[in-house]
Amino acid sequence: AQSVAQPEDQVNVAEGNPLTVKCTYSVSGNPYLFWYVQYPNRGLQFLLKYITGDNLVKGSYGFEAEFNKSQTSFHLKKPSALVSDSALYFCAVRDGGNDYKLSFGAGTTVTVRA
Amino acid sequence: GAVVSQHPSWVICKSGTSVKIECRSLDFQATTMFWYRQFPKQSLMLMATSNEGSKATYEQGVEKDKFLINHASLTLSTLTVTSAHPEDSSFYICSARTGFAGVDEQFFGPGTRLTVL
């Protein structure tokens, strides 16, 4: 079984401040971890992924995430948030199996105020 | 690259009618397509996985006779909601994966909002 927890429904930050969106996961094998962003009435856009290698992953639009195996976490970060980063963020996980099924967290709404 | 389209983007239908939603990979061949359902302000729930030329695999609790999935080619999968009812109103999103080694992420379509009156 695999699952994802995003403990915060909402994150509010001021523009220019650091942004962190938390994610913890549970998976039976090696985790494949993903972050997606969704704007209103749109599909999901891929931000970044961790499969193997360096624990710090850099992705699109200045976002990065750090894989922490001991804490089973994959928090999304951005050093300086923009108003345009306001959106719904989903963390997802799958094990290394061949069905490629993703399990998504409940999502975190990020609001960046000017 | 890796663009996935859905058609229609929104549809309103009467209760009891059937609605077909198309999902196309525009610039790659999709070995596998996935269909998700998303309720307002909630996460995506996987409904089924479809592989080209074979029957779809449905998740537990999803009625296969109600949500018919056809994956006739490497660039097209369709979801037909048969005899739709108001409780089927939702945002339906498809995704596709290329099958290329090293490209693990799924590419998502823009979604289709279905409203059943």
Side-chain angles (χ1 to χ4, degrees), chain B residues 11-91:
Chain B
V11 58
I12 301 173
C13 69
K14 293 182 179 179
S15 184
T17 61
S18 295
V19 174
K20 180 185 284 188
I21 302 170
E22 293 185 348
C23 176
R24 294 181 185 272
S25 56
L26 298 185
D27 51 3
F28 66 98
Q29 293 185 328
T31 56
T32 307
M33 288 184 169
F34 302 87
W35 287 96
Y36 296 86
R37 185 172 179 176
Q38 185 181 29
F39 291 101
K41 299 187 178 181
Q42 294 189 28
S43 188
L44 281 72
M45 293 185 59
L46 179 65
M47 300 174 65
T49 304
S50 75
N51 294 294
E52 185 264 341
S54 62
K55 290 184 178 181
T57 303
Y58 290 81
E59 294 300 299
Q60 192 172 11
V62 178
E63 299 175 61
K64 61 180 66 177
D65 293 332
K66 180 166 189 63
F67 298 99
L68 300 179
I69 291 172
N70 183 280
H71 194 157
S73 76
L74 284 171
T75 60
L76 173 64
S77 177
T78 60
L79 166 67
T80 301
V81 183
T82 61
S83 187
H85 291 285
E87 59 265 28
D88 298 323
S89 298
S90 190
F91 196 50

Side-chain angles (χ1 to χ4, degrees), chain A residues 33-39 41-49 88-94 100-105, chain B residues 1-7 21-28 30 32-38 42-48 91-98 103-112:
Chain A
L33 294 153
F34 305 83
W35 274 101
Y36 288 88
V37 61
Q38 184 181 33
Y39 295 96
N41 296 310
R42 305 289 296 276
L44 275 64
Q45 294 179 30
F46 170 77
L47 283 178
L48 50 80
K49 65 182 178 183
L88 181 58
Y89 291 79
F90 289 103
C91 180
V93 69
R94 74 170 187 90
Y100 299 96
K101 293 181 182 179
L102 291 176
S103 294
F104 285 85
Chain B
V3 178
V4 176
S5 71
Q6 281 184 242
H7 178 80
I21 302 170
E22 293 185 348
C23 176
R24 294 181 185 272
S25 56
L26 298 185
D27 51 3
F28 66 98
T32 307
M33 288 184 169
F34 302 87
W35 287 96
Y36 296 86
R37 185 172 179 176
Q38 185 181 29
Q42 294 189 28
S43 188
L44 281 72
M45 293 185 59
L46 179 65
M47 300 174 65
F91 196 50
Y92 292 88
I93 303 175
C94 72
S95 71
R97 58 175 298 272
T98 67
V103 181
D104 202 89
E105 62 265 33
Q106 296 178 21
F107 299 97
F108 286 79
T112 297

Side-chain angles (χ1 to χ4, degrees), chain A:
Chain A
Q2 56 193 40
S3 64
V4 173
Q6 292 181 242
E8 299 159 317
D9 291 337
Q10 290 196 354
V11 170
N12 299 308
V13 297
E15 189 172 36
N17 282 2
L19 169 63
T20 298
V21 186
K22 295 180 180 177
C23 170
T24 58
Y25 67 89
S26 175
V27 68
S28 56
N30 290 324
Y32 288 35
L33 294 153
F34 305 83
W35 274 101
Y36 288 88
V37 61
Q38 184 181 33
Y39 295 96
N41 296 310
R42 305 289 296 276
L44 275 64
Q45 294 179 30
F46 170 77
L47 283 178
L48 50 80
K49 65 182 178 183
Y50 171 83
I51 305 297
T52 186
D54 195 351
N55 289 344
L56 183 63
V57 179
K58 293 187 182 297
S60 306
Y61 313 118
F63 283 95
E64 59 187 30
E66 185 165 11
F67 170 64
N68 188 315
K69 187 174 182 178
S70 63
Q71 296 185 5
T72 62
S73 67
F74 190 57
H75 301 331
L76 180 71
K77 298 181 180 182
K78 185 170 183 178
S80 179
L82 301 172
V83 172
S84 58
D85 294 327
S86 298
L88 181 58
Y89 291 79
F90 289 103
C91 180
V93 69
R94 74 170 187 90
D95 63 20
N98 293 329
D99 64 8
Y100 299 96
K101 293 181 182 179
L102 291 176
S103 294
F104 285 85
T108 299
T109 299
V110 170
T111 301
V112 182
R113 60 185 184 276

